[in-house]
Amino acid sequence: MKKKIITAMLAGVMVLSTAGCAGSSDSGSDDTGTSEDASSGSGTDTEAEETEIQVFIAASLNTVMTELADMYNEEHPEVKITYNPDSSGTLLTQIEEGYECDIFFSAAQKQMDDLEADGLMVEGTRADVVNNQVVVVSLKDSGTKVTGLENLGEAESVALAGGSVPVGRYTRQALINLGILPKTDDPASITTEEVSETLGGVEISEQDNVSKVLTAVAEGSCEVGTTYYSDTYGYEDQLDILQTVSYALTGDVIYPIARVVNEEADDAQTAAAEEFLEFILSDKAKAVFESYYFDTNV
């Protein structure tokens, strides 16, 4: 029997927590539920069967997907969309362990490739949705000497996602391509301790998803960090983007989506998952993604 994501634990907005730069990171997940059932709405089919779908999303998608769920519920109030936002690596592990999931929206191709290889993807449902870009950020007027990845070691402290987190892997890949980290076939295998040593012993606070990296910098726990451009939405008055890292260094930062094999889903749940996926791939949704700094030219 697959494990149900506990709705009570997933209610409200995602709680972002971070370890201070002097300590280790919080390894807990940031499960969130959003988009409560709507009880009324003009022009909707009140005869439609009520159902709930479980949607696992990369943490960097939480804000935009909350708006998209609200939009979807204007026409489909009978569908409750429960989000589980976390790092793509953590979400993949949960799916592999049997957590019930209808849709997986990853921040990297690797996790989606693994899902497909495991036979857990509904065939023919995979699609690339948006592209993103890694940025180096600090608090506004922080006085940091860091201008980008090239001199990251000049920071007093750095917030960095672990190698299993897509943004952490992309950052390591960029440092490899800059000749700062040694070449390897698997950038994710480079530990935070190895990154710190290579950067001259700079203090690094490892975080287990990209949102926690952002919070560490925004709250002043760490001087700089690497996050996504889309994550700076709403933080324009708080953060300075020191560098927008080129795709030549990171490779494309493509976010794929697909339906997940869910043997516990009934017909109503399966239909709702199909329709919500179609909505996420629609032109209407594309405009929303673009307003949150995502690139839809994929």
Side-chain angles (χ1 to χ4, degrees):
M1 179 69 71
K2 292 186 176 181
K3 304 173 187 175
K4 275 279 189 180
I5 299 295
I6 304 174
T7 303
M9 294 177 62
L10 298 175
V13 296
M14 181 171 65
V15 177
L16 302 175
S17 62
T18 181
C21 281
S24 60
S25 65
D26 177 4
S27 60
S29 76
D30 287 324
D31 293 359
T32 295
T34 187
S35 185
E36 296 297 324
D37 294 273
S39 60
S40 64
S42 59
T44 58
D45 182 6
T46 57
E47 299 298 323
E49 183 177 352
E50 292 187 357
T51 190
E52 178 180 359
I53 59 174
Q54 307 284 342
V55 184
F56 285 28
I57 59 174
S60 51
L61 291 165
N62 192 56
T63 304
V64 65
M65 289 294 284
T66 297
E67 178 169 337
L68 287 170
D70 290 341
M71 291 174 61
Y72 183 78
N73 281 147
E74 290 176 5
E75 296 184 7
H76 300 275
E78 77 284 356
V79 179
K80 180 178 181 180
I81 302 166
T82 299
Y83 287 144
N84 177 21
D86 212 320
S87 77
S88 300
T90 296
L91 297 175
L92 174 65
T93 298
Q94 290 175 348
I95 295 171
E96 291 173 332
E97 290 177 346
Y99 283 76
E100 183 176 355
C101 175
D102 297 292
I103 295 172
F104 180 36
F105 198 169
S106 172
Q109 299 285 10
K110 181 184 184 301
Q111 286 75 22
M112 195 64 74
D113 290 343
D114 291 345
L115 184 79
E116 188 169 13
D118 290 340
L120 297 173
M121 179 191 299
V122 176
E123 186 176 353
T125 64
R126 179 173 180 170
D128 293 338
V129 185
V130 294
N131 204 348
N132 214 336
Q133 203 155 9
V134 175
V135 293
V136 182
V137 297
S138 70
L139 277 177
K140 276 196 177 298
D141 304 319
S142 66
T144 181
K145 297 177 182 178
V146 175
T147 57
L149 293 180
E150 291 84 353
N151 66 335
L152 194 61
E154 294 188 35
E156 291 292 330
S157 55
V158 178
L160 178 68
S164 65
V165 181
V167 73
R169 185 182 187 281
Y170 290 127
T171 299
R172 287 163 172 78
Q173 183 64 66
L175 290 169
I176 290 171
N177 288 334
L178 285 168
I180 296 173
L181 290 178
K183 290 185 178 181
T184 176
D185 292 335
D186 183 15
S189 67
I190 301 176
T191 67
T192 297
E193 290 75 17
E194 289 171 330
V195 176
S196 174
E197 182 178 349
T198 303
L199 294 176
V202 63
E203 183 181 350
I204 297 180
S205 176
E206 180 178 316
Q207 305 298 326
D208 55 21
N209 67 49
V210 68
S211 297
K212 291 182 179 181
V213 173
L214 183 75
T215 301
V217 178
E219 291 183 347
S221 299
C222 295
E223 182 180 325
V224 298
T226 61
T227 184
Y228 293 125
Y229 178 48
S230 65
D231 283 290
T232 66
Y233 179 89
Y235 288 85
E236 295 86 351
D237 294 336
Q238 296 175 251
L239 299 177
D240 279 331
I241 296 177
L242 305 175
Q243 179 187 30
T244 301
V245 184
S246 72
Y247 293 132
L249 294 176
T250 61
D252 284 335
V253 186
I254 302 293
Y255 286 49
I257 194 171
R259 284 181 51 225
V260 177
V261 174
N262 183 359
E263 296 176 353
E264 293 189 353
D266 58 19
D267 290 345
Q269 186 173 343
T270 298
E274 291 174 351
E275 291 176 359
F276 186 63
L277 179 57
E278 290 177 4
F279 172 71
I280 295 302
L281 298 176
S282 69
D283 289 340
K284 186 175 181 179
K286 179 183 291 189
V288 177
F289 281 117
E290 290 174 349
S291 73
Y292 281 88
Y293 303 162
F294 287 95
D295 180 5
T296 60
N297 296 313
V298 296

